[in-house]
């Protein structure tokens, strides 16, 4: 598996990855430079939008509404999904996994 993706289990195994395109989308969503995004300030809707953006590398037609449905039907807790999106974001910026553990599926 690639080192720049994080596996999650939704309706099936999927991966989170932030390319330049998705990082630019996050800047627009949060109204901040990518380097100023702080996870302590992000609410549930923000995490959901990050998960959605991180899934777009697999399917650019995925809507936010469909991503919400996938998140709500996942066997992973929202906390586990939050850790996964934090890891994927950190990796995209050249950092380590923030959670300090491999993502479970």
């Amino acid at each position: 598996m690639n080192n720049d993706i994080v596996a999650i289990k939704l309706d099936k195994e999927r991966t989170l990855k932030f390319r330049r395109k998705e990082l630019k989308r996050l800047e627009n969503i949060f109204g901040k430079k990518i380097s100023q995004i702080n996870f302590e300030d992000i609410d549930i809707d923000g995490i959901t939008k990050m998960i959605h953006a991180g899934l777009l590398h697999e399917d650019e037609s995925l809507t936010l509404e469909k991503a919400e449905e996938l998140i709500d039907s996942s066997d992973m807790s929202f906390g586990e999904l939050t850790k996964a999106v934090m890891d994927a974001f950190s990796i995209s910026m050249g950092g380590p996994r923030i959670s300090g553990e491999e993502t479970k599926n």
Side-chain angles (χ1 to χ4, degrees):
M1 189 171 272
N2 296 336
N3 290 334
D4 63 344
I5 61 174
V6 175
I8 59 172
K9 183 76 170 165
L10 297 175
D11 57 326
K12 61 183 180 180
E13 185 170 303
R14 294 182 178 261
T15 57
L16 296 171
K17 179 177 181 173
F18 295 102
R19 302 170 296 183
R20 188 206 64 82
K21 185 188 241 182
E22 289 83 24
L23 292 172
K24 185 161 179 58
R25 178 184 289 262
L26 293 179
E27 283 185 335
N28 291 331
I29 288 169
F30 295 114
K32 298 179 180 183
K33 292 181 181 180
I34 204 71
S35 61
Q36 296 174 329
I37 294 176
N38 181 347
F39 279 92
E40 293 178 11
D41 298 331
I42 299 176
D43 61 11
I44 290 172
D45 285 338
I47 294 294
T48 301
K49 290 173 183 175
M50 288 188 78
I51 293 169
H52 171 247
L55 292 170
L56 290 174
H57 76 100
E58 290 184 343
D59 178 2
E60 292 199 14
S61 69
L62 181 69
T63 65
L64 178 60
E65 292 76 22
K66 180 62 179 174
E68 289 173 332
E69 290 174 18
L70 295 174
I71 291 166
D72 287 343
S73 64
S74 174
D75 289 337
M76 292 179 73
S77 71
F78 196 76
E80 290 171 318
L81 292 169
T82 299
K83 286 180 185 178
V85 79
M86 289 170 63
D87 283 345
F89 181 78
S90 178
I91 290 166
S92 75
M93 300 303 291
R97 290 178 182 266
I98 293 174
S99 68
E101 59 188 48
E102 294 296 316
T103 305
K104 299 174 185 173
N105 17 348

